[in-house]
Amino acid sequence: PVRRSGVPRAAAPMLVSAVLVGLGSAAFWTFAVDRVRRAGLDPAAGRALLGVAGISSLLSIGAADLINRLGARRTFVLSALLQAAATATIGLAAHSLLAVLAAAATFGTTYNTVVVITVLWGARLSADRPSAGVAAAAGANAIGLLAGALAGGIIADALGLSATLIIGGAILLFTIPLAPRASVIRREITPRPATEGRPPQPPTAEIRACWNR
C-alpha cells in the first residue's frame, strides 16, 4: 500500500534507519571537535578533523561502484560498522592526532555512503514517485540529526563527551539489521553502437539509479 505522501508502508525500515543514522551521526558532527580540544590536542586539530571529514566525504562519489561490486546490503553494513567505529574512536582516542584524523576520514566517507544508499533505497521503494522517497529519506535523516544534537547535549552534560560519542557509535550499529535486502543500484549492459567502418563494440556496463529503471 502507498500512502498519500507517495511513500509506501514498506518504507518503515528505511525511515527508521535514516533516523538512526542521523541520531548517531549527530554525536560526531556536534561534539567531536569539543572532544578533541578537551583531550588536549591543539585547537587546529579540531579544524583539521572537520576538514578531513569534509574532504573524505567526496570519496562517496564512488559509492555506486562499491555498491555495484558488493551490493547495497553489504556496502551499507560495512559502512555502518566503520562509521560506528570512527565515532567511538573520537570518544576513546581523542588524545591521538593520528587516530582522530583516521577516524575523521573514515567517518566522512562512510556517512555519505550510508546516506546515498538510504536515498536510493527510498527512491526505489517509491518507484512511482521517486522524489517522494528521496525527500522522505533525507527528511528522516535530518530529523535524526536534529534530535541527536539535542539529546546529545543532555547526555554530554550528564555523562561527558566521550560517553556521548560512544553512545552515538552504538546507535549506528542498530541500523545494521535494517540494511536494505535488495540492490538499489543495478548494472545494465549497454552495447556500444556501431560506427562507420567498425562493427558493434563489446558491451559496456553502466550504473543506473533505481529511478531510471
Side-chain angles (χ1 to χ4, degrees):
V2 179
R3 298 176 180 177
R4 291 182 180 180
S5 63
V7 180
R9 298 184 186 279
M14 179 273 293
L15 294 173
V16 173
S17 176
V19 170
L20 290 176
V21 169
L23 283 172
S25 301
F28 180 95
W29 293 123
T30 309
F31 304 108
V33 171
D34 285 341
R35 169 60 181 148
V36 167
R37 290 175 178 172
R38 294 185 186 183
L41 291 183
D42 187 275
R47 294 192 293 272
L49 180 153
L50 292 179
V52 170
I55 293 172
S56 63
S57 68
L58 298 176
L59 296 177
S60 63
I61 294 174
D65 289 333
L66 187 60
I67 294 169
N68 191 47
R69 291 176 181 275
L70 300 181
R73 181 174 178 79
R74 289 181 180 177
T75 303
F76 185 99
V77 170
L78 177 61
S79 297
L81 283 171
L82 291 174
Q83 188 186 357
T87 304
T89 296
I90 300 296
L92 295 171
H95 58 279
S96 169
L97 179 59
L98 181 60
V100 165
L101 295 181
T106 300
F107 183 91
T109 303
T110 55
Y111 170 75
N112 273 19
T113 299
V114 167
V115 170
V116 166
I117 293 174
T118 304
V119 167
L120 292 175
W121 186 7
R124 184 178 183 186
L125 289 173
S126 304
D128 294 334
R129 293 183 58 190
S131 60
V134 171
N141 180 257
I143 290 172
L145 286 170
L146 178 59
L150 295 174
I154 297 173
I155 295 172
D157 288 340
L159 303 176
L161 294 177
S162 179
T164 302
L165 286 154
I166 293 171
I167 291 172
I171 290 174
L172 291 168
L173 294 177
F174 283 97
T175 65
I176 292 176
L178 300 171
R181 297 185 179 279
S183 177
V184 293
I185 295 182
R186 299 176 179 178
R187 179 189 292 270
E188 289 187 351
I189 304 301
T190 305
R192 297 179 183 175
T195 57
E196 185 177 353
R198 292 184 180 182
Q201 300 298 304
T204 58
E206 293 184 357
I207 299 296
R208 295 294 182 86
C210 55
W211 52 75
N212 288 332
R213 293 294 294 176

